[in-house]
Amino acid sequence: MAYIVTSACIRCRYTDCVEVCPVDAFRAGENMLVIDPVECIDCQACVPACPANAIYLDEDVPAAEQEFTALNARLAKVWPAITRQEKPMADADAWKKTPGKRAHLSERPKR
């Protein structure tokens, strides 16, 4: 099992979760984070730390967000590790509660 970052993270990229991860399982994209399922130790420390409520245990990912399980695994192989908390995206608070953000996902790695 692993934890999965879902669409609620898109255009927010809060990194409070990164700060509490004991194994550096997070990977950074241009406008979202993902969790490397190989590195994740299922400690759940990231879940309450996420201001966007974007993180779920893989077996608890909502039906509408199921594609994010494979997406986390795929992007974790190509996005760089992020090990320190950074500022969220400039308009993160405005996007935090926006539904239907999948079309806004950039698959480019954070630079």
Side-chain angles (χ1 to χ4, degrees):
M1 288 190 285
Y3 281 83
I4 306 297
V5 180
T6 61
S7 67
C9 184
I10 298 171
R11 303 252 350 220
C12 294
R13 206 181 70 221
Y14 294 102
T15 56
D16 305 56
C17 52
V18 171
E19 192 68 20
V20 299
C21 182
V23 295
D24 300 333
F26 283 88
R27 305 294 180 259
E30 185 174 57
N31 68 356
M32 179 182 174
L33 300 175
V34 296
I35 297 173
D36 183 335
V38 175
E39 294 293 324
C40 181
I41 59 169
D42 306 330
C43 71
Q44 83 180 12
C46 57
V47 177
C50 178
N53 297 316
I55 304 172
Y56 294 84
L57 184 61
D58 55 5
E59 62 189 34
D60 296 332
V61 173
E65 301 283 321
Q66 286 294 313
E67 72 173 298
F68 283 88
T69 300
L71 188 112
N72 274 241
R74 179 171 57 82
L75 295 176
K77 292 177 183 176
V78 295
W79 285 359
I82 181 170
T83 59
R84 294 179 185 235
Q85 188 169 6
E86 298 176 355
K87 290 182 180 179
M89 299 189 77
D91 56 355
D93 289 339
W95 280 91
K96 185 162 94 172
K97 299 290 184 188
T98 302
K101 297 190 290 184
R102 174 61 175 96
H104 297 278
L105 173 64
S106 167
E107 292 198 16
R108 291 184 292 244
K110 181 181 179 292
R111 298 176 205 190

